[in-house]
């Protein structure tokens, strides 16, 4: 038999709409995009407004259903607040238009970076501690003396999930 390969069939990727995902212009470093049939080797994305792979973001395909974009230093998700849309995706068979009637699918709503509101946190990169240690003191200025909401880059959550804030003063928080 003379078998001839006539085409390589690649599963069609899909993207999960995420209009309720809020990211900040420069304050958010990572964006997770979920969908199906992602491929680690050959992935090209086209955004509106445009973002350039390996210049504006680094792409990491975590699985066939999840990819993470990490914004590079000194870049923005977009110049002005508004939706970030994925217009096209290429997983190896050419650029596939995503939701063309709407100019792409919203993967995040970009908001202006939050102002510091007079709050500063002192960087202490040489501070090291084990996960099992009892408490951590965050030092800075302008903290509220009764309640503070913290947002950690690694996704730690308060209210007893990963930590509880036990003391609040204008210059330090104890977790």
């Amino acid at each position: 038999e003379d078998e001839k390969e006539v085409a390589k069939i690649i599963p069609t990727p899909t993207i999960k709409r995420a209009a309720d995902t809020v990211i900040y212009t420069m304050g958010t470093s990572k964006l997770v995009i979920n969908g199906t049939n992602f491929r680690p080797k050959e992935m090209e994305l086209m955004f509106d407004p445009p973002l350039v792979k390996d210049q504006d973001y680094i792409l990491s395909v975590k699985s066939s259903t999840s990819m993470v974009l990490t914004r590079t230093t000194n870049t923005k998700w977009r110049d002005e607040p508004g939706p970030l849309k994925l217009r096209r995706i290429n997983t190896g068979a050419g650029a596939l238009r995503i939701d063309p009637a709407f100019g792409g699918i919203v993967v995040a709503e970009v908001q202006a970076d939050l102002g510091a509101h007079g709050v500063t946190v002192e960087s202490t990169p040489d501070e090291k501690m084990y996960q099992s240690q009892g408490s951590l003191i965050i030092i800075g200025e302008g903290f509220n003396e009764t309640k503070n909401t913290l947002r950690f880059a690694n996704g730690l959550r308060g209210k007893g999930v990963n930590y509880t804030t036990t003391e609040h003063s204008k210059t330090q928080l104890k977790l």
Side-chain angles (χ1 to χ4, degrees):
E1 309 258 342
D2 284 344
E3 292 182 8
K4 304 276 191 240
E5 186 174 318
V6 295
K8 182 172 184 168
I9 306 301
I10 295 173
T12 303
T14 63
I15 301 294
K16 186 174 187 284
R17 186 177 313 279
D20 56 345
T21 297
V22 173
I23 61 174
Y24 296 94
T25 309
M26 291 181 78
T28 304
S29 60
K30 293 184 184 303
L31 171 62
V32 176
I33 298 177
N34 294 311
T36 61
N37 298 316
F38 299 157
R39 301 176 65 191
K41 298 263 191 277
E42 304 173 39
M43 285 281 291
E44 294 174 21
L45 307 173
M46 183 190 295
F47 291 95
D48 178 21
L51 293 172
V52 179
K53 183 179 175 183
D54 297 330
Q55 182 179 320
D56 296 319
Y57 67 92
I58 307 297
L59 175 64
S60 175
V61 177
K62 298 296 183 186
S63 70
S64 65
T65 60
S66 181
M67 61 179 142
V68 176
L69 279 64
T70 304
R71 186 183 51 75
T72 56
T73 306
N74 298 323
T75 61
K76 298 178 179 181
W77 291 112
R78 57 178 291 154
D79 290 330
E80 299 293 324
L84 178 62
K85 293 182 176 182
L86 181 57
R87 295 184 58 215
R88 295 175 190 262
I89 183 171
N90 181 354
T91 59
L96 179 69
R97 292 173 67 188
I98 305 291
D99 215 352
F102 298 98
I105 194 164
V106 176
V107 292
E109 187 64 34
V110 181
Q111 294 185 0
D113 288 325
L114 299 174
H117 305 294
V119 175
T120 58
V121 174
E122 189 174 314
S123 179
T124 52
D126 294 332
E127 183 75 26
K128 292 180 177 37
M129 62 187 297
Y130 288 105
Q131 212 172 5
S132 59
Q133 276 177 268
S135 65
L136 167 70
I137 294 177
I138 298 174
I139 52 178
E141 292 181 20
F143 298 135
N144 185 306
E145 293 182 85
T146 54
K147 181 177 188 265
N148 293 273
T149 302
L150 306 174
R151 194 177 84 168
F152 290 94
N154 66 359
L156 278 178
R157 299 204 335 252
K159 297 181 182 165
V161 176
N162 298 117
Y163 69 90
T164 301
T165 308
T166 57
E167 293 177 25
H168 306 257
S169 76
K170 286 187 186 295
T171 58
Q172 70 178 36
L173 302 174
K174 184 175 181 182
L175 309 184

